Amino acid sequence: MPGAQHLTEAGVVLYAADDMPLWRRPLARFHASGCAACTERIAAYRSDQEFVRRMAAELPHGLNWDRMAAEMTANIRVGLEAGECVARRAQARTLSTGWRVAAASAGFAALLVSAWWLNMPKSQSASLERAVKRIAQVRPWRGGPILPFEDPGPLVEISAAGIQLRENGGALGVSQGLARPVSVTLSAQGSARARYLDQETGQVTITSVYAQ
Amino acid sequence: MRNSLILLMLCAFAPAARPQQQAFAQQQAFAQQQGPGSSQTLAHRTDIPHDSPVTLAGDEWGGSGATIRGGAYAIDVKLALSLRNSSQRRVRGVTLTVMAQEATPGGKGSLSVPSLDVAPGETFTVRGDLHLLRPIGAESSPMVEVSLDGILFDDLTFYGPNKLLSRRTMMVWELEARRDRQYFRSLLEQSGRQGLQKAMLASLTRDADRPQFGVQMVRGRATNTDGEKDVRFAFLHLPDAPVEPMDGVARVAGNEARAPKLVVRNRSGRVVRHLEMGWIVRDQQGREFLAASLPYEMRLPPRSSAQILQDASLRFDPRTSLEGMTGYVATVEFMDGSLWIPSRADLDDPTLRRVVSPSPEEQRLVQIYRKRGLNAVMDELKRFTN
């Protein structure tokens, strides 16, 4: 008789519930195929399992499932809150409000500086720099003299090198030509004249520049 | 919420940057077309009227160009114009207007050549090298236009639109030239070659010793009045001057002087329509130099006085402290168009001799003496009939 030793009680239960390990299942099947007693015990266990499943699938008479679901949910929440009370809280690291404002302001300032640098002519930037330096020198916030406001308009400058025009402290132009003039004169009407001498012929050429 | 705020700020800036972007785009386009640091060939025009007594025989603009500087074109004008005298009179002076942009400071200039003696049919050359400014985006082409402002002939007649008042200026130069040629001829007659040579050398020495100080001039209100005081003018006495300065004062603070105010009297029997005063300043070390000329348009009847003001501020080297000022009458124009200039005797004043530059004619003759010697100067004096 194949598998002369009968299946143990545990083996019968496992085999009936299909929970027996795979490597033992062929031996158990081979024995049960030739042993009426074991086959009868396996069938009895499977019948009992089926009966229990049918019984479990039926809800008890008069059960209020909604109330039971609410009670279960409440129990779960109570459990979670209790867990929070006793557990250590891990806080997310964030910047303080002051630093956030500073970061936003820095970005805004960078935007302004970029827009100015890309679009403003250099002469305007130079004028702004001079004005800021002037304010820093005078320091009106420390009770110094009132910052003089000058509205100079275009400015004509003469020197031994020639004529130069300035506006807002910057140079609009350079001295007229590469040659050094023999004399330069200024007119209060807003013009300047430079006199040049041809070294060979002596011919005099007078260049005038009008600021207004 | 935060992201929405940032987007709103960016949108707010975009319209403000658009005009600048356009100008910047123009600049970029120009630079890309020409290459970095390069200048474009200058679009130019020379406008000589068809009825002008001079005609354009040729022009050269080699080396001229324009580069971008900030929001404007810096225009480098290097020109040589050949003009032919197509009239029957001798040309003694010419003034050309060189225009990039009329309303812009530094957009207009001029070239003048005094002490010419161009016979009918002859050609002469006017050379100039100057820098002008023209805003980017200014309409109209060409970039530079050269036009005739005036021509002065040997009979002191004038042709031209005279927009730069070149008639008066060239008349003064021509009268100075005649005065100085007459002076040197007299010197040659009285003292011979040695006398003339001595005068040439003295002029050379004065030119070399004459100080040229830096001066800035601005028109407009300067409100920095800290430490200002009124400083009275002293005046050089020129006995033959038709206008006599009686009193004058200017506001002085350290190295700045502004708002000169003068009282002048017309001693002549003719109406004066233009007066030019020379403004000499003295610093704390006693050095004197010509600061500026003060031109005044007026209508001053005979034997009457007037107060004249000039809305100008002069600024000198910061190390300079102004201690005194002197004024003198440089030019007077009468209503009939005739002019008065100081005589050689007037110019013998030590202060004037020290600070006032010689006339263009004297400088030309002295340069001829330096390069070609005394005989060439004598030939020049003989060439001119007046």
Side-chain angles (χ1 to χ4, degrees):
Chain A
M1 191 180 221
Q5 195 172 2
H6 293 292
L7 294 174
T8 61
E9 201 64 29
V12 169
V13 171
L14 287 173
Y15 186 81
D18 291 327
D19 286 334
M20 183 171 275
L22 282 173
W23 63 274
R24 284 177 61 189
R25 219 177 273 180
L27 279 174
R29 188 181 303 119
F30 180 70
H31 174 79
S33 65
C35 177
C38 290
T39 303
E40 192 179 330
R41 286 162 61 199
I42 290 167
Y45 270 106
R46 280 182 177 163
S47 171
D48 291 341
Q49 286 169 0
E50 186 60 34
F51 177 77
V52 168
R53 277 198 203 100
R54 275 203 310 274
M55 287 298 289
E58 288 175 9
L59 287 172
H61 178 69
L63 175 69
N64 186 341
W65 175 249
D66 288 336
R67 184 175 173 180
M68 185 177 280
E71 285 177 8
M72 285 193 289
T73 305
N75 287 334
I76 290 168
R77 282 184 182 160
V78 167
L80 287 173
E81 290 295 331
E84 287 289 314
C85 290
V86 298
R88 260 191 164 175
R89 188 182 294 273
Q91 292 187 349
R93 298 182 73 177
T94 59
L95 287 176
S96 66
T97 304
W99 281 109
R100 279 186 232 169
V101 171
S105 301
F108 186 63
L111 180 67
L112 280 178
V113 169
S114 304
W116 180 280
W117 182 70
L118 286 173
N119 293 296
M120 280 295 172
K122 279 186 186 173
S123 59
Q124 297 296 331
S125 302
S127 300
L128 180 63
E129 185 186 344
R130 279 186 294 275
V132 169
K133 279 182 182 172
R134 182 91 177 105
I135 292 170
Q137 281 171 5
V138 174
R139 299 184 190 177
W141 59 84
R142 287 195 183 179
I146 294 172
L147 194 67
F149 171 71
E150 292 185 4
D151 180 16
L155 185 145
V156 184
E157 179 178 343
I158 62 168
S159 66
I163 304 169
Q164 193 164 46
L165 294 175
R166 291 181 181 275
E167 188 172 43
N168 291 326
L172 288 177
V174 295
S175 55
Q176 301 300 313
L178 297 174
R180 205 169 172 86
V182 294
S183 68
V184 198
T185 54
L186 203 55
S187 168
Q189 277 188 334
S191 65
R193 274 190 206 141
R195 209 185 275 185
Y196 298 89
L197 198 58
D198 186 301
Q199 295 295 317
E200 293 306 318
T201 64
Q203 180 171 306
V204 174
T205 304
I206 298 169
T207 300
S208 299
V209 176
Y210 301 87
Q212 287 165 343
Chain B
M1 179 66 176
R2 202 179 307 162
N3 294 338
S4 306
L5 275 174
I6 292 171
L7 274 174
L8 271 173
M9 285 193 295
L10 284 170
C11 291
F13 272 100
R18 203 169 296 132
Q20 296 294 338
Q21 285 175 356
Q22 285 177 355
F24 182 69
Q26 284 179 1
Q27 293 182 26
Q28 288 288 66
F30 178 79
Q32 283 167 7
Q33 185 185 355
Q34 303 299 328
S38 68
S39 58
Q40 67 172 7
T41 305
L42 201 61
H44 59 270
R45 184 169 69 200
T46 306
D47 181 23
I48 306 288
H50 68 278
D51 63 342
S52 164
V54 297
T55 52
L56 185 65
D59 62 347
E60 286 178 17
W61 291 73
S64 299
T67 50
I68 291 174
R69 180 175 298 184
Y73 290 113
I75 303 172
D76 198 359
V77 180
K78 289 180 168 58
L79 61 86
L81 297 185
S82 288
L83 300 171
R84 179 176 293 112
N85 181 8
S86 51
S87 73
Q88 299 305 309
R89 293 164 288 177
R90 300 182 84 89
V91 172
R92 287 292 169 91
V94 65
T95 295
L96 301 170
T97 308
V98 185
M99 183 96 72
Q101 229 278 340
E102 180 148 18
T104 306
K108 183 170 70 175
S110 69
L111 286 173
S112 300
V113 184
S115 297
L116 289 170
D117 188 39
V118 183
E122 282 184 359
T123 302
F124 63 102
T125 302
V126 177
R127 284 192 176 82
D129 184 0
L130 66 165
H131 289 222
L132 299 174
L133 292 169
R134 179 184 168 117
I136 290 174
E139 297 299 332
S140 88
S141 177
M143 198 82 94
V144 172
E145 185 171 331
V146 175
S147 57
L148 186 67
D149 191 69
I151 298 175
L152 187 72
F153 298 97
D154 57 348
D155 57 0
L156 299 184
T157 53
F158 179 86
Y159 169 90
N162 196 29
K163 290 179 182 173
L164 300 178
L165 302 177
S166 58
R167 179 195 164 274
R168 178 194 300 143
T169 311
M170 289 199 289
M171 283 275 286
V172 168
W173 289 331
E174 178 61 19
L175 292 177
E176 288 177 343
R178 294 182 183 191
R179 175 197 67 195
D180 293 342
R181 282 196 293 267
Q182 184 56 39
Y183 168 74
F184 290 123
R185 281 191 208 108
S186 303
L187 206 58
L188 187 61
E189 280 175 24
Q190 291 165 14
S191 312
R193 290 172 61 96
Q194 275 189 346
L196 182 61
Q197 188 176 42
K198 200 173 161 188
M200 290 286 125
L201 290 170
S203 184
L204 260 175
T205 307
R206 281 196 300 271
D207 241 4
D209 293 344
R210 186 169 298 106
Q212 179 69 64
F213 288 82
V215 185
Q216 293 179 346
M217 191 276 294
V218 58
R219 288 181 64 81
R221 190 166 48 90
T223 56
N224 185 8
T225 57
D226 292 345
E228 265 194 351
K229 57 181 178 181
D230 280 345
V231 175
R232 298 210 96 79
F233 272 88
F235 293 106
L236 296 180
H237 178 61
L238 305 181
D240 297 328
V243 175
E244 182 185 7
M246 308 293 289
D247 192 17
V249 73
R251 306 283 295 169
V252 173
N255 67 327
E256 293 188 16
R258 67 178 186 88
K261 200 163 32 178
L262 303 173
V263 176
V264 297
R265 186 169 182 278
N266 182 2
R267 297 196 287 203
S268 74
R270 291 181 284 172
V271 178
V272 170
R273 74 172 173 197
H274 177 83
L275 168 68
E276 186 161 311
M277 298 287 297
W279 187 357
I280 299 170
V281 298
R282 187 179 74 252
D283 65 9
Q284 73 277 20
Q285 296 174 351
R287 296 176 300 184
E288 288 179 309
F289 50 95
L290 183 65
S293 68
L294 302 170
Y296 300 98
E297 299 292 331
M298 56 177 56
R299 194 182 183 283
L300 189 59
R303 322 286 179 206
S304 59
S305 301
Q307 187 181 68
I308 48 181
L309 308 165
Q310 190 66 262
D311 181 23
S313 297
L314 295 184
R315 192 180 300 147
F316 304 90
D317 189 286
R319 296 163 294 183
T320 302
S321 175
L322 300 180
E323 296 297 327
M325 296 180 299
T326 305
Y328 70 96
V329 179
T331 310
V332 176
E333 184 182 16
F334 299 97
M335 200 57 84
D336 60 2
S338 59
L339 287 156
W340 175 92
I341 58 170
S343 63
R344 287 298 300 206
D346 293 330
L347 293 178
D348 279 340
D349 178 279
T351 302
L352 289 182
R353 191 175 282 279
R354 235 184 357 262
V355 302
V356 176
S357 294
S359 67
E361 177 68 3
E362 182 172 337
Q363 284 183 319
R364 187 183 74 91
L365 292 172
V366 168
Q367 184 63 19
I368 290 174
Y369 170 71
R370 282 182 65 194
K371 282 291 177 178
R372 288 150 47 188
L374 202 61
N375 288 338
V377 175
M378 290 163 62
D379 290 340
E380 279 295 305
L381 293 174
K382 283 178 197 161
R383 193 160 68 84
F384 284 84
T385 55
N386 52 14

